[in-house]
Amino acid sequence: MAKKKETDKSAQNYNKNTKTEAADDEEPNFSDDENYVDQVSDEELLGDLLKDRPKEKDGVDSIIVVDGIPQVGPDRFEKLHSVIIKFFSKFGNIINEYFPKSETGQTKGYVFLEYVSPENAIEAVNTANNHKLDKQHTFLVNLFTDFKKYEEIPEVWEPPQPQPYKEQTELYSFLMDADAYDQFSVITNRGSMVQIMQNSAPEPTKLEERSRWTETFIQWSPLGTYLATFHYKGIALWGGPKFEQAMKFGHTGVAYIEFSPCERYLVTFAPSAENIDPKKMVIIWDIRTGLEKRSFSIDGTTVWPIFRWSKDDKYFARIGQDVLSVYETPSFGLLDKKSFKLNGIRDFSWSPTDNILAYWVAEDKDVPARVVLIEIPSRTEIRANNLFNVASCTMHWQKSGDYLCVKVDRFSKVKKEKGDQPKYSGMYYNFEIFHMREKNIPKDSEEVKEQIHAFAWEPVGSKFAIIHGESPNICVSFYSVKTGQTPTMLKRLEKRVCNNLFWSPMGQFIVLADLRANGILEFVDTNDFTVMNTTDHFQVTDVEWDPTGRYVVTAVSYWKVKVDTGYWIWSFQGKIIKRNNVDGFCNFLWRPRPPTLLSAEQQKEIRKNLKKYSPQFESKDRMRMTKASKELMEKRRQLMKDFEEIRNRQLEVWKEQKPHRLELRYNVDTDELDSDTKNVEEEVVEFFVKEEVTIIE
């Protein structure tokens, strides 16, 4: 009984306590007042925990699936793990990994990798997919989210809906200028600023200016349609009146680019080790669609450009070890599925106007060197020439494709006594000139005993110029090429200071330039070989003719010289038009123009009647200068008006302060006194400042 009473008492106490706690739970109210504002943020209370909280982008978007990895056992797993993680860590930080294994511990041939961000995963898929690990294994890389997309593919195909028309920018707006002003690009501020200018008169007009537009260089396309900018991730093309982005090409570490002559294709080259896939060191892109057409690997050292294009973009070729490979577009396969086997091939070049390819092969024991012209795609050999004692050859095509000059550096042979091998002493030079427009392509030859420093064809015409001789007796000689005759010397300019030749795109005029510290410039009219002007641009590094042949720009680039950088604009006669000394100036490029649509007869007619059009152009020039004068006068008038306003305001202040001045000067109005009537006493006060003692021994 006692035990039962004790149990009942305990139950009563428990019920009593339970009721009391329930009552206590109902009574307290911990809710904040309606007008209460919490001054403590979550970051202050839980900052260390909030750093690791899930983010919106966290999830399966950052996971990739890599298939095609080797299936190895536990003994080789560590090596496989190291190779896979090292390769895919190039795209970003890997925070999670999973290698599925069988019951025996052997990998199943695929792996799951999770990156910090979805951007890293996308880059890994774009770059590493189809990467060949070895002869038996090729990576197949997909986003984890792609599997769901593939599962939801409908069984019945539905044609895609037509997209709304999107108006393209006018890429040829730069040709619509009524006054036919040319444009040029300038890189300033040590490479961080790019400007697009119009060469208008009397002052160039700024069309566009952007900071950090490119990371290294810029380059115009051959016809002037696009401006290419270089970036670590690839190349961007810009065009239109506002230079909007027309296309971009992803190629990590790209350092060199080349456009095909008709601007259908773009070649990019990433030579550094930053390029992950060695098979994609060189990529050829379709400019219009932005699609990759073919990629190539490069073995050993190479000379840019790696590929050289035919004039119509139908063929491109590259040189290899004893082989010349010609490819055709749009298939980008080998022409006739085979290369040219040419032992000792050293160089080749395309005609600028025809599908004719020239190459030369070196001597091999008793086999002479050869210069060969072949027609593509028939592979027909249309001309060949044997050469002896050849050290080197350089091929120079005239811009119109009328002539090919092969400069041959030759050894002078010295015969020894009977039984001895012939020896060589000294060098001499030959110009082998092929007449491409004549039947059977005849050849002329010209020998020069002196060292050749430079060679240049007249772009439109049949003349060429060479710089030859030894310092200080450097000479410039001009030759004319005529049918059935050896080259004829037209003029020899003695004792010149120059090392480069720059012909006008329209011919006739040439600049002899010394691209060294002196920067000597000589403007010559080759019709009568009149030296129109001799001047200098100290430390000049570049000389650029505009597409019309009316202006020449000489530039001092910060990339080569650190002081006195800038660019000067000259007329074709050597008259200075504008000096632009720009701190940190790097590069100047004229915007190219496409070939004229006028026939040769129409151009001849215009030249014949040029005097008839001259008054119209002169009238425009006068109106333009008058407009510039009016603008200058208006600017000066506005400056004078602003000055008068400032002066009047200061006069009012001066008048307001006059009572204070009178008070300070004992009511003597010194403002109204002239120099003859002033009777203000002057007092000179002298006081000791310091004493210096110098002991002379």
Side-chain angles (χ1 to χ4, degrees):
M1 281 299 283
K3 188 174 182 179
K4 182 176 183 302
K5 289 181 179 180
E6 184 179 353
T7 303
D8 293 340
K9 186 177 181 180
S10 298
Q12 291 175 3
N13 291 335
Y14 173 77
N15 293 334
K16 183 178 179 181
N17 293 334
T18 303
K19 292 179 181 179
T20 302
E21 291 175 359
D24 292 340
D25 291 341
E26 295 176 359
E27 291 177 3
N29 183 9
F30 296 101
S31 60
D32 296 327
D33 186 69
E34 294 181 358
N35 298 325
Y36 174 76
V37 178
D38 190 0
Q39 301 294 335
V40 182
S41 64
D42 294 341
E43 284 73 13
E44 292 177 328
L45 292 175
L46 304 170
D48 55 340
L49 298 177
L50 291 176
K51 292 180 181 178
D52 299 328
R53 67 180 174 180
K55 302 179 179 62
E56 292 183 3
K57 65 180 182 180
D58 291 346
V60 295
D61 292 340
S62 302
I63 300 176
I64 65 171
V65 183
V66 184
D67 200 357
I69 68 172
Q71 299 183 22
V72 300
D75 55 333
R76 299 177 58 192
F77 176 74
E78 290 298 329
K79 183 176 181 180
L80 174 66
H81 177 271
S82 176
V83 171
I84 297 299
I85 297 302
K86 181 180 180 181
F87 178 81
F88 284 95
S89 295
K90 297 176 182 179
F91 308 106
N93 186 23
I94 298 175
I95 60 176
N96 198 2
E97 61 188 59
Y98 175 60
F99 287 78
K101 300 179 182 178
S102 64
E103 296 179 355
T104 59
Q106 186 175 13
T107 58
K108 294 186 176 181
Y110 56 92
V111 62
F112 297 87
L113 301 175
E114 182 178 3
Y115 286 97
V116 174
S117 66
E119 290 78 11
N120 300 139
I122 294 173
E123 184 180 359
V125 171
N126 293 337
T127 307
N129 189 37
N130 292 322
H131 173 77
K132 196 170 184 179
L133 180 63
D134 52 37
K135 293 182 179 180
Q136 289 80 27
H137 301 90
T138 301
F139 290 149
L140 299 176
V141 187
N142 292 280
L143 293 172
F144 187 81
T145 54
D146 288 343
F147 290 93
K148 182 179 180 181
K149 178 179 67 175
Y150 297 146
E151 290 176 354
E152 296 176 353
I153 295 177
E155 295 182 0
V156 180
W157 180 79
E158 295 181 1
Q161 296 296 324
Q163 298 296 321
Y165 173 73
K166 182 179 179 181
E167 186 176 357
Q168 299 292 326
T169 183
E170 178 51 63
L171 296 176
Y172 299 99
S173 58
F174 70 101
L175 298 174
M176 306 299 179
D177 185 75
D179 295 315
Y181 287 135
D182 285 296
Q183 297 179 10
F184 58 86
S185 63
V186 177
I187 301 180
T188 61
N189 199 19
R190 294 169 177 80
S192 63
M193 183 68 69
V194 177
Q195 298 174 342
I196 308 298
M197 309 288 287
Q198 189 175 50
N199 191 33
S200 55
E203 292 289 334
T205 305
K206 185 185 298 182
L207 301 178
E208 195 73 25
E209 183 178 48
R210 298 183 191 178
S211 179
R212 304 294 178 185
W213 199 355
T214 182
E215 295 180 9
T216 52
F217 312 106
I218 59 175
Q219 182 174 325
W220 292 103
S221 60
L223 305 180
T225 309
Y226 304 101
L227 175 69
T229 56
F230 288 68
H231 309 273
Y232 173 74
K233 294 293 185 181
I235 299 296
L237 299 186
W238 311 80
K242 297 299 182 181
F243 288 93
E244 302 170 359
Q245 189 176 104
M247 190 60 65
K248 59 182 179 180
F249 308 93
H251 194 180
T252 304
V254 61
Y256 302 93
I257 67 170
E258 183 194 16
F259 289 88
S260 63
C262 298
E263 298 183 346
R264 294 193 184 102
Y265 307 104
L266 175 69
V267 184
T268 59
F269 178 34
S272 66
E274 297 174 353
N275 184 37
I276 296 171
D277 192 347
K279 290 191 174 181
K280 293 185 179 294
M281 294 182 68
V282 178
I283 302 178
I284 302 179
W285 309 85
D286 187 302
I287 291 180
R288 186 179 63 84
T289 62
L291 299 178
E292 177 183 330
K293 305 303 293 184
R294 183 168 177 177
S295 61
F296 297 85
S297 61
I298 301 299
D299 298 328
T301 58
T302 186
V303 177
W304 184 259
I306 299 170
F307 295 103
R308 300 176 191 178
W309 293 82
S310 64
K311 56 94 180 180
D312 53 6
D313 287 7
K314 290 184 178 180
Y315 308 98
F316 62 98
R318 64 180 292 193
I319 193 172
Q321 184 66 35
D322 297 331
V323 67
L324 177 64
S325 301
V326 180
Y327 302 85
E328 57 184 345
T329 61
S331 65
F332 290 86
L334 278 172
L335 179 65
D336 298 333
K337 298 182 180 180
K338 59 182 179 180
S339 300
F340 292 87
K341 299 296 182 180
L342 303 170
N343 294 330
I345 185 170
R346 293 292 185 267
D347 196 12
F348 75 100
S349 180
W350 287 95
S351 165
T353 55
D354 304 284
N355 287 336
I356 296 175
L357 191 148
Y359 68 86
W360 78 277
V361 294
E363 288 184 86
D364 183 15
K365 297 180 181 179
D366 296 332
V367 180
R370 298 185 76 220
V371 175
V372 182
L373 298 173
I374 57 173
E375 195 273 335
I376 299 297
S378 67
R379 296 174 172 248
T380 303
E381 184 178 301
I382 58 177
R383 188 68 163 85
N385 186 40
N386 294 334
L387 303 169
F388 296 91
N389 306 329
V390 175
S392 177
C393 289
T394 307
M395 290 177 286
H396 302 274
W397 284 94
Q398 193 233 19
K399 185 179 178 181
S400 301
D402 298 335
Y403 304 99
L404 168 65
C405 176
V406 180
K407 184 177 80 70
V408 185
D409 301 349
R410 283 178 160 167
F411 295 110
S412 297
K413 184 186 296 185
V414 178
K415 293 185 178 180
K416 295 296 180 179
E417 295 181 3
K418 188 175 181 180
D420 293 341
Q421 291 293 331
K423 295 185 178 181
Y424 301 99
S425 65
M427 298 282 294
Y428 70 100
Y429 307 89
N430 270 93
F431 294 108
E432 307 289 337
I433 300 174
F434 296 84
H435 298 249
M436 301 301 298
R437 304 302 181 195
E438 298 180 31
K439 187 177 181 180
N440 298 326
I441 311 182
K443 177 186 69 70
D444 294 328
S445 182
E446 179 70 16
E447 182 177 314
V448 179
K449 296 293 185 181
E450 298 174 305
Q451 183 179 358
I452 307 297
H453 302 283
F455 174 97
W457 278 105
E458 182 183 22
V460 180
S462 59
K463 294 193 289 286
F464 67 86
I466 61 172
I467 300 176
H468 57 94
E470 298 291 341
S471 181
N473 298 318
I474 298 295
C475 301
V476 180
S477 297
F478 296 87
Y479 290 83
S480 174
V481 180
K482 296 182 180 179
T483 303
Q485 299 179 10
T486 59
T488 304
M489 180 183 290
L490 301 175
K491 185 69 175 179
R492 180 185 177 102
L493 304 178
E494 303 282 351
K495 294 186 178 181
R496 260 37 188 191
V497 181
C498 60
N499 62 349
N500 281 270
L501 302 166
F502 298 96
W503 281 96
S504 164
M506 299 293 108
Q508 183 178 347
F509 304 103
I510 190 172
V511 176
L512 314 179
D514 177 27
L515 301 189
R516 292 170 291 200
N518 295 327
I520 303 298
L521 304 171
E522 197 167 358
F523 294 79
V524 181
D525 182 351
T526 60
N527 273 358
D528 52 8
F529 297 99
T530 302
V531 178
M532 299 178 291
N533 189 20
T534 300
T535 181
D536 68 276
H537 186 178
F538 183 64
Q539 292 187 328
V540 62
T541 59
D542 302 281
V543 178
E544 295 281 347
W545 281 91
D546 83 312
T548 64
R550 292 178 295 176
Y551 303 100
V552 184
V553 167
T554 59
V556 179
S557 172
Y558 178 81
W559 289 336
K560 298 180 181 178
V561 180
K562 302 304 178 185
V563 295
D564 298 332
T565 58
Y567 61 96
W568 296 0
I569 302 178
W570 311 76
S571 71
F572 68 94
Q573 297 170 321
K575 179 182 178 181
I576 187 67
I577 297 176
K578 182 71 175 178
R579 289 184 174 92
N580 295 281
N581 296 319
V582 183
D583 183 35
F585 164 82
C586 295
N587 182 251
F588 182 103
L589 291 174
W590 288 103
R591 186 171 191 173
R593 284 178 172 268
T596 179
L597 300 177
L598 300 177
S599 64
E601 291 75 15
Q602 291 173 318
Q603 296 180 54
K604 185 177 181 180
E605 185 68 21
I606 291 174
R607 293 191 186 96
K608 182 179 179 181
N609 299 320
L610 191 59
K611 292 183 179 180
K612 183 177 67 176
Y613 304 115
S614 296
Q616 302 177 21
F617 300 136
E618 292 173 358
S619 175
K620 281 188 176 182
D621 290 340
R622 285 194 298 269
M623 292 176 61
R624 195 177 296 113
M625 296 304 296
T626 302
K627 181 180 178 181
S629 300
K630 289 181 179 179
E631 292 177 353
L632 180 61
M633 293 174 62
E634 183 63 30
K635 183 178 180 180
R636 290 177 176 175
R637 190 180 293 110
Q638 184 63 37
L639 290 173
M640 190 64 186
K641 182 179 178 182
D642 296 341
F643 169 75
E644 291 293 339
E645 292 178 356
I646 295 173
R647 184 175 182 275
N648 292 334
R649 288 198 302 268
Q650 295 303 318
L651 281 174
E652 294 296 328
V653 174
W654 182 77
K655 291 178 181 179
E656 292 175 0
Q657 294 176 348
K658 186 169 184 177
H660 185 57
R661 290 198 302 276
L662 290 173
E663 182 181 352
L664 293 175
R665 299 171 184 175
Y666 305 102
N667 292 323
V668 177
D669 191 359
T670 58
D671 298 332
E672 303 297 334
L673 296 176
D674 56 28
S675 59
D676 296 330
T677 58
K678 285 183 180 179
N679 55 4
V680 180
E681 297 181 0
E682 295 183 357
E683 181 180 359
V684 178
V685 179
E686 297 181 356
F687 57 91
F688 180 77
V689 178
K690 67 177 180 178
E691 179 181 0
E692 293 183 356
V693 178
T694 303
I695 300 175
I696 302 176
E697 295 181 358

